[in-house]
Amino acid sequence: MIRHIVLVRFRADVDEATIRALFEELHAIEGRIDGLLSIASGRSESPEKIERGYMHGFVADFADWQALEAYQAHPDHQRFGARLVAHAEGGLDGILVFDLPVQN
């Protein structure tokens, strides 16, 4: 399994309603891509408070690398990704992506 972890620093002028709408758009992709197992998204609630501005994010689990590639190429993901970058602080500089192979 591949765990696709994305952390986002949204621009200061992006409100919670817009962020919620973005994550709803992301969740609409569920069920449209073979091998996309689940998506969880939201705002950090860490008691450690060391997010360094990355207060929102999501985790998507994929069956394998091919499923992650299919997600990345999918038009719905392309649209969502463009909107995410447009709302992130500094564009792509406000987004961190980490892909972790996980043993089932």
Side-chain angles (χ1 to χ4, degrees):
M1 183 179 81
I2 307 303
R3 183 155 290 151
H4 180 65
I5 303 163
V6 179
L7 303 178
V8 184
R9 273 187 326 219
F10 284 105
R11 294 188 332 259
D13 64 322
V14 178
D15 61 22
E16 288 293 327
T18 301
I19 295 168
R20 192 169 37 258
L22 280 166
F23 286 149
E24 287 171 6
E25 182 179 341
L26 170 66
H27 283 277
I29 296 172
E30 288 182 288
R32 295 184 182 174
I33 300 169
D34 289 339
L36 171 56
L37 306 174
S38 67
I39 299 173
S41 64
R43 181 179 177 85
S44 177
E45 296 182 16
S46 173
E48 294 175 302
K49 309 282 187 221
I50 55 174
E51 294 91 349
R52 297 189 174 111
Y54 292 92
M55 296 303 299
H56 296 84
F58 67 91
V59 175
D61 288 339
F62 295 90
D64 51 32
W65 289 109
Q66 291 78 20
L68 176 57
E69 289 174 14
Y71 162 79
Q72 290 169 334
H74 195 279
D76 290 345
H77 169 262
Q78 294 289 318
R79 272 190 302 280
F80 167 73
R83 288 178 31 91
L84 194 65
V85 169
H87 288 85
E89 184 179 308
L92 199 54
D93 287 341
I95 300 174
L96 292 176
V97 176
F98 185 84
D99 292 321
L100 179 68
V102 176
Q103 296 296 325
N104 297 24

